Amino acid sequence: MPKFFDAIAGFRVTFGTMFKKRLTEQYPEKPGPVAKRYHGRHQLNRYPDGLEKCIGCELCAWACPADAIFVEGADNTEDERFSPGERYGRVYQINYLRCIGCGLCIEACPTRALTMTNEYEMADDNRADLIWGKDKLLAPLESGMLPPPHPMAEGSTDEDYYRGNIAPLAGDAR
Ligand code: SF4
Ligand code: SF4
């Protein structure tokens, strides 16, 4: 008889928990909210006219403790301009098999080209698809933006861009 009561006592926690409100998130049907400053996937930003903010300086790559970023810069030319100033990021890759979401890269970026979004659904089943290039990282073109390469806004200098004095192009320029 005492053994029977021992068994019942063993279920006390189980029964007590069965009738509590469930806290389990209904993922993936209802993805849970994240904190406003959650470090999700990265984004490479653009200026209001569509030029890229990345200048290919590699500071983000040097700041990364996980060696997850690869950048290869190249020179802009007057015929082919991707960003204001001399250089742009010709190749830009983030390896999400390595990234630990620490955010040191975005702190290091001098032009705010690199920021992090709240998006966290990046799971995949092979290595190649977890190395994201510019095709996935670049911010989408918005109204007033033209896909690079194209010249800087008429009469502007690179400093105008860095200081935020550039307006979107007139109309929907895409
Ligand atoms: S968030 Fe951290 S680990 Fe990920 S790429 Fe940036 S610096 Fe590297
Ligand atoms: S994202 Fe920023 S830090 Fe990284 S190469 Fe581009 S400009 Fe430099």
Side-chain angles (χ1 to χ4, degrees):
M1 203 61 176
K3 277 192 177 176
F4 172 74
F5 285 115
D6 284 351
I8 296 290
F11 279 110
R12 198 179 49 186
V13 175
T14 309
F15 286 128
T17 311
M18 275 171 66
F19 302 104
K20 281 188 182 162
K21 185 172 174 270
R22 271 196 264 168
L23 295 174
T24 313
E25 301 286 348
Q26 300 299 306
Y27 186 84
E29 288 77 17
K30 292 184 196 162
V34 293
K36 278 184 188 164
R37 297 180 67 182
Y38 175 80
H39 282 175
R41 78 164 185 87
H42 299 74
Q43 177 168 282
L44 282 173
N45 299 304
R46 299 174 186 273
Y47 289 104
D49 65 354
L51 284 181
E52 297 168 13
K53 288 191 173 182
C54 179
I55 53 173
C57 66
E58 299 183 32
L59 283 176
C60 51
W62 284 99
C64 178
D67 202 11
I69 303 182
F70 175 75
V71 187
E72 194 176 280
D75 287 341
N76 285 307
T77 63
E78 284 317 312
D79 296 333
E80 262 202 342
R81 173 172 293 288
F82 292 86
S83 68
E86 288 176 26
R87 307 266 291 166
Y88 74 102
R90 194 181 69 81
V91 179
Y92 196 99
Q93 293 177 343
I94 298 184
N95 183 340
Y96 282 109
L97 290 164
R98 287 177 168 237
C99 176
I100 54 172
C102 65
L104 289 177
C105 50
I106 61 172
E107 300 291 336
C109 180
T111 60
R112 296 292 287 158
L114 189 65
T115 50
M116 291 171 99
T117 68
N118 285 168
E119 291 168 35
Y120 56 85
E121 293 186 309
M122 296 182 287
D124 222 313
D125 58 5
N126 68 90
R127 183 177 181 277
D129 286 345
L130 282 160
I131 300 173
W132 286 32
K134 281 179 77 172
D135 54 328
K136 286 180 168 175
L137 292 169
L138 265 177
L141 291 165
E142 290 175 15
S143 173
M145 293 181 174
L146 197 66
H150 63 78
M152 288 196 282
E154 210 173 330
S156 67
T157 63
D158 44 359
E159 211 170 300
D160 290 323
Y161 278 83
Y162 304 145
R163 290 187 186 280
N165 297 332
I166 296 299
L169 300 168
D172 193 343
R174 281 172 292 174

